[in-house]
Amino acid sequence: VWAHAKLYENPDSFVSLFALSGRLQFDSVWFGADSDDLPTDAENNYNDVQWRRFRFGFKMKFGGAWTLALEGDFNLNNELSDIYNRLTDAYIGYKLNDAFQLKLLKQSAVFKLDGATSSKKLMAMERNNLTENLWFTTEYFVGLHADGTVNDRWSYRAGVFSGGDDNEFGFEDEEATGEVGYFTLLSLGYDFAGGLNLDDALVRVDYVYNEVDADDAIEQANNGTRNFDHIVSLVTQWQGGAWGLWTDLSVGSGIDDGLISQSDLWGLALMPFYSFNEHHQAVLRYTFITSSDDNGVRLNRYENRIVDSDLESFDNDRGNRYNEIYAGYNLFFYGHKLKWQTGLQYTTMQD
């Protein structure tokens, strides 16, 4: 089936490849909460069946080293006349060799453990909440980005991006007037696998500097980015045979200029996994996050639906100490291209 996505392929022609791209993901979820921990007007459970993601587009390779990618994000839960959300990948790329490739225009800003993992290849059903708090969940930004691998050991990324959350290519905030801020991304990693007799032994440091535009501060948000001016992550990925362990230790320096108030926070995510064979995999995950001040930590995607409240005095999805335990089972029919995922999760948030 997937072979038919390649509509044209000829390495000897100017246009060497034209292929369809995309993803289709479906969620059925149920979350319940202790009623004593909720505001009086909030429900103590949330359940839904929905299309989580649908993206569709194409990728074209031409001129030997150039790539053109265009992909849109669509919400299949909406009416047909209102399914288009935004552009995701919409870039021109150039690859000199494995040590240097360049992308220009709209693309994924990849940093942190789960933030650098495509949603098509996540081993848990949702990204860990440390990523939700520190990574920029808008994900796709207009910018210039270079990356590569040197001597099969060293890897790097460097980029500068507009902080805007425009659905296409604009450089203005969707909600506010005026110019937006920008952010820079630097990443350096080294794979120790050869010396340790492992399949993977990557240790990587990611750093982001996020500049907030003064005009946008009135809206108390920096467009598509989180309200941190510095983010540092130490990411490791270890795997030997059937066993693996991925970790993320991160810290964020919150912005507090009188209009924007985001506490400093730090957190740790540990994800061991075991692959019984190419089809069956068990995953465990522990996530801890704490903030220096009250209400510096937000809940993840589905938990925050439970505590949704109309009370102005209740900060809906915030606390200052978060713990999560996740246990999952993945069934791969065709690798990450076609899979079934099941997860059981327990979360506490102290406010």
Side-chain angles (χ1 to χ4, degrees):
V1 172
W2 274 263
H4 291 291
K6 293 183 179 180
L7 303 183
Y8 175 81
E9 187 174 22
N10 184 353
D12 297 325
S13 66
F14 178 76
V15 177
S16 59
L17 176 69
F18 188 88
L20 302 178
S21 66
R23 68 199 70 180
L24 180 63
Q25 298 169 344
F26 182 81
D27 275 7
S28 175
V29 300
W30 182 88
F31 279 82
D34 293 337
S35 57
D36 292 342
D37 296 333
L38 300 174
T40 55
D41 63 340
E43 298 291 336
N44 68 346
N45 67 77
Y46 171 84
N47 64 86
D48 198 7
V49 177
Q50 63 177 339
W51 295 106
R52 178 67 176 88
R53 295 181 182 90
F54 175 54
R55 296 174 188 169
F56 185 74
F58 71 88
K59 181 175 290 187
M60 181 175 70
K61 295 184 179 180
F62 63 96
W66 295 87
T67 299
L68 174 64
L70 183 66
E71 192 170 283
D73 178 62
F74 303 88
N75 188 344
L76 295 183
N77 304 294
N78 293 345
E79 297 292 334
L80 185 62
S81 60
D82 191 34
I83 65 170
Y84 171 73
N85 278 337
R86 56 174 178 154
L87 288 178
T88 53
D89 283 319
Y91 65 83
I92 298 174
Y94 174 78
K95 183 175 181 179
L96 178 63
N97 49 42
D98 290 342
F100 181 79
Q101 58 181 354
L102 199 66
K103 289 182 181 179
L104 176 65
L105 296 178
K106 200 162 193 181
Q107 57 194 283
S108 178
V110 292
F111 65 97
K112 295 186 55 52
L113 174 62
D114 282 356
T117 303
S118 167
S119 63
K120 294 185 289 188
K121 296 184 177 181
L122 292 173
M123 287 191 284
M125 295 184 66
E126 285 292 320
R127 291 182 167 99
N128 66 63
N129 200 31
L130 186 57
T131 301
E132 173 72 17
N133 275 268
L134 288 172
W135 186 57
F136 305 152
T137 55
T138 299
E139 184 176 354
Y140 295 91
F141 299 88
V142 176
L144 178 66
H145 172 263
D147 68 279
T149 302
V150 180
N151 296 330
D152 294 326
R153 293 288 186 91
W154 291 97
S155 58
Y156 72 92
R157 296 183 185 275
V160 57
F161 300 87
S162 163
D165 64 351
D166 193 278
N167 289 334
E168 279 77 39
F169 293 104
F171 292 86
E172 293 187 355
D173 186 2
E174 290 287 300
E175 304 294 335
T177 59
E179 298 299 317
V180 300
Y182 70 92
F183 65 93
T184 58
L185 164 64
L186 297 172
S187 178
L188 183 64
Y190 186 81
D191 194 340
F192 296 88
L196 298 177
N197 196 29
L198 295 172
D199 300 315
D200 292 299
L202 175 67
V203 177
R204 190 182 79 235
V205 176
D206 299 335
Y207 169 72
V208 170
Y209 169 71
N210 184 32
E211 185 267 347
V212 179
D213 186 83
D215 293 336
D216 189 56
I218 299 173
E219 296 298 318
Q220 307 215 6
N222 189 24
N223 312 297
T225 67
R226 296 298 192 204
N227 292 326
F228 297 91
D229 49 10
H230 300 281
I231 301 170
V232 180
S233 295
L234 175 63
V235 174
T236 70
Q237 294 177 281
W238 311 90
Q239 186 165 357
W243 290 94
L245 173 64
W246 290 5
T247 73
D248 186 344
L249 176 63
S250 297
V251 60
S253 173
I255 297 170
D256 187 356
D257 66 358
L259 294 172
I260 296 175
S261 181
Q262 166 61 56
S263 172
D264 297 345
L265 66 80
W266 73 271
L268 173 68
L270 304 172
M271 187 170 66
F273 56 92
Y274 182 83
S275 300
F276 298 94
N277 51 46
E278 63 178 337
H279 297 295
H280 301 277
Q281 182 183 67
V283 179
L284 295 175
R285 183 176 72 195
Y286 171 69
T287 307
F288 171 80
I289 314 170
T290 185
S291 61
S292 301
D293 304 315
D294 294 341
N295 299 318
V297 180
R298 68 184 72 216
L299 287 170
N300 212 334
R301 177 181 180 85
Y302 290 121
E303 300 102 295
N304 66 23
R305 304 297 201 275
I306 299 174
V307 297
D308 190 20
S309 169
D310 294 328
L311 296 178
E312 294 183 2
S313 61
F314 186 75
D315 207 337
N316 292 347
D317 61 345
R318 301 297 181 96
N320 65 291
R321 186 177 293 267
Y322 173 95
N323 286 273
E324 176 230 48
I325 299 174
Y326 172 95
Y329 163 72
N330 300 327
L331 174 60
F332 299 103
F333 298 100
Y334 183 41
H336 284 285
K337 293 182 182 294
L338 181 61
K339 62 183 177 181
W340 171 280
Q341 295 183 282
T342 302
L344 181 65
Q345 179 178 319
Y346 179 76
T347 301
T348 65
M349 173 78 95
Q350 176 183 335
D351 181 11

